[in-house]
Amino acid sequence: MKKKWWNDKIVYQIYPRSFKDSNGDGIGDLKGITEKLDYLKGLGADMVWISPVYQSPMKDNGYDISDYYAIDPIFGTMEDMDLLLEKAKEKGLKIIMDLVVNHCSSQHEWFQKALQDPKGEYGDYFIVKEGKEGKAPNNWRSIFGGSVWEPIEGTPYYYYHTFDKEQPDLNWENPRLRQEIYKMMNWWLEKGLAGFRVDAITYIKKDPSYKSLPADGADGLVGLSEVSSNYPGIEVFLKEMRRKTFDVYDAFSVAEMSGVNAEKLREYIGPDGLFCSIFDFSYMELDVELFQWYRPVKVTAAKIKEPLFENQKMAQEAESYLSVVMENHDQPRSLSKWFAKEEIGYETAALLAVMNLTLRGIPFIYQGEEIGMENIHFDHIHQYEDVMMWGQYQRAKQEGCTEEECLDMANRRSRDHARTPMQWDDSENAGFTTGTPWFPVNPNYKKINAKAQENGKSILNFYRELTAFRKSEEWKDVLVYGSLEPVLEKEENVIAYKRSLDGKELLVLLNFVNRPQKIHLEKEPKRALISNYPLEEIRSREYEMKPFEAVVLEV
Ligand code: NOJ
Ligand code: CA
């Protein structure tokens, strides 16, 4: 397999609004990020992904861009961005930004012009169709709930939005629009970005017939999976994008693109793929029915490993690298998602860390994950902010959920759980800001914060140990380039796999339950290398794993 410069990178994701506020206005900013570069370096990150900081009305916290060439004033200035790039470079850290080009903001100049003349030049930058008998052109449901169509006032036309109505979709069928996008991407790459995390790209191609389908919910609408998820023809756009942008700069690209099957994976991210990598979200949302947060599902190790190993296998066969994620800004905290309140602690956090950093693929650490941050809890649903939660709330109501069930849904699932301010220390507002934070700090910050974990046994130090292990001369090739083979597949509560390369072999054992688990090993291990319990020799093939034990063995 041909090696690429990004194969061995560890990525840290920053949600800028909640990371570090440098000027006391309660909102995290670019200067705040620059202040913390040493922290990121010390953690073992090589590349930093910054969620959108472009100019935006912030209907979806920056995933609604009104000017791709400007920094939103709440985050600072273009000079701050340039300084961040410069400082990061000095420290050997690469920076990637979000590329949000399935849609822009309704405040973008293009859209404003389109509203003036829906069938004119800029109307064609968007997806504009005539309604049918006073109704929307079809019954497709947007990801955030409700129709994908919004009427353009005073005209017979509607425009299309995959997400919120303030996020109109861009018309990728229009070659002029595509050239505008590539020009913008190259402008940023020229500035020194190492690449992009590509937002919602799955949706850029739509079934051109725009036909209605049988409804799949009480709202009479139908989800987008058949009509605009990796819809055939999308690869034509993506090939062109790659050739005109990423290829020119040898840039890194990781796409948000769910549901890619084995057949397509090689084409998407194989040696000559459309992107460098895509996120493996296959086990991210097992705790709920697809796009239905009000329908909770119990998660077990057995449930996680099924899609996990299937995708790992697929990725190897396609000679490709998935990006491994436990958390991001769209998910509740992984500890809260996968474990009961009383189970959360050092062992469970370290268990997920081992999994994140020893699977085959590019590991992403989401801010706060490295200190074991947890979901927040509110007594009133109106304390939540996130636009997606409110869409789910409407649907939950239509499906007959009570207020109490809706609150429970929000407390489990809102994306806001990942967006509470980063907990730096035990001073007021967790050291995130000297002002009033834009969103409440999790009250557990006195106990859970980076400073308290600086020394001694802590989740943070365990992460540092793990990233160092992943980069160690002895094991880096096995962990980066080695194959992954599932073992102990029949064990309900244990996720276990071998990583091997050129005669070297590691065995990773993860016990997902709070009780001992007896397992039988194929070979006697040579030594234990890293664990969330004190290291001990394992000299037998019959081994009893401790509650929530995670251990990496040399075999
Ligand atoms: C995925 C992003 O991660 C999410 O935060 C956003 O709301 C949607 N795409 C729309 O851009
Ligand atoms: Ca600020």
Side-chain angles (χ1 to χ4, degrees), residues 369-486:
E369 188 178 342
E370 76 279 17
I371 55 168
M373 280 178 64
E374 297 169 31
N375 280 2
I376 196 163
H377 180 94
F378 289 133
D379 292 327
H380 300 284
I381 198 153
H382 286 279
Q383 290 170 280
Y384 285 101
E385 289 249 339
D386 171 39
V387 54
M388 184 165 187
M389 209 280 304
W390 291 109
Q392 286 288 315
Y393 177 79
Q394 293 302 337
R395 282 203 70 197
K397 281 286 168 119
Q398 277 165 343
E399 301 285 339
C401 296
T402 63
E403 272 303 319
E404 207 186 330
E405 285 165 336
C406 290
L407 177 62
D408 168 65
M409 166 186 92
N411 277 327
R412 271 186 293 106
R413 251 285 151 192
S414 169
R415 302 191 299 178
D416 287 329
H417 294 299
R419 303 175 181 187
T420 65
M422 174 70 185
Q423 294 163 208
W424 293 107
D425 57 39
D426 65 359
S427 68
E428 205 181 350
N429 300 318
F432 162 69
T433 179
T434 53
T436 308
W438 73 274
F439 195 72
V441 174
N442 193 318
N444 68 12
Y445 75 93
K446 293 265 176 205
K447 210 175 87 209
I448 300 174
N449 66 69
K451 190 162 169 227
Q453 300 190 21
E454 198 45 56
N455 299 308
K457 177 181 163 183
S458 72
I459 300 169
L460 179 59
N461 278 332
F462 189 72
Y463 262 94
R464 289 172 173 153
E465 207 185 308
L466 264 173
T467 55
F469 172 59
R470 197 179 157 95
K471 288 164 191 250
S472 66
E473 262 325 301
E474 194 171 5
W475 294 111
K476 70 172 194 231
D477 284 350
V478 178
L479 286 162
V480 173
Y481 304 106
S483 65
L484 182 143
E485 189 193 322

Side-chain angles (χ1 to χ4, degrees), residues 21-23 25 27-29 74:
D21 176 21
S22 72
N23 62 352
D25 67 355
I27 302 173
D29 45 50
I74 68 167

Side-chain angles (χ1 to χ4, degrees), residues 60 63 103 144 163 167 197 199 256 329-330 415 419:
D60 186 15
Y63 282 92
H103 48 271
F144 289 169
F163 296 91
Q167 296 168 295
R197 173 268 189 189
D199 184 74
E256 209 191 15
H329 64 292
D330 291 333
R415 302 191 299 178
R419 303 175 181 187

Side-chain angles (χ1 to χ4, degrees), residues 166-287:
E166 312 288 349
Q167 296 168 295
D169 277 38
L170 291 163
N171 178 16
W172 276 75
E173 306 290 341
N174 179 350
R176 290 194 37 194
L177 176 270
R178 298 202 302 272
Q179 297 317 312
E180 290 272 14
I181 301 286
Y182 307 149
K183 187 177 100 194
M184 177 274 291
M185 290 169 67
N186 289 334
W187 186 84
W188 279 102
L189 291 168
E190 195 60 44
K191 250 186 186 304
L193 280 193
F196 289 104
R197 173 268 189 189
V198 188
D199 184 74
I201 203 75
T202 320
Y203 299 108
I204 62 172
K205 179 87 184 180
K206 284 89 175 159
D207 173 351
S209 76
Y210 284 92
K211 60 173 189 287
S212 284
L213 293 176
D216 64 11
D219 57 3
L221 303 174
V222 60
L224 295 174
S225 34
E226 264 177 56
V227 287
S228 104
S229 280
N230 309 334
Y231 197 82
I234 189 172
E235 64 286 351
V236 179
F237 301 150
L238 297 179
K239 249 181 219 150
E240 182 185 76
M241 178 198 251
R242 191 194 92 173
R243 190 166 49 80
K244 299 213 165 179
T245 64
F246 300 130
D247 277 0
V248 182
Y249 294 87
D250 192 17
F252 176 68
S253 56
V254 52
E256 209 191 15
M257 208 157 198
S258 296
V260 179
N261 58 24
E263 210 178 297
K264 287 272 168 203
L265 200 68
R266 181 174 284 271
E267 180 183 348
Y268 284 26
I269 58 167
D272 192 29
L274 304 169
F275 296 108
C276 300
S277 181
I278 58 178
F279 292 111
D280 183 6
F281 290 146
S282 63
Y283 49 95
M284 283 293 256
E285 308 212 345
L286 297 173
D287 59 311

Side-chain angles (χ1 to χ4, degrees), residues 201 244 273 280 291 297 396 463 499 512 514:
I201 203 75
K244 299 213 165 179
D280 183 6
F291 293 134
V297 177
Y463 262 94
R499 298 295 318 271
F512 268 72
N514 199 8

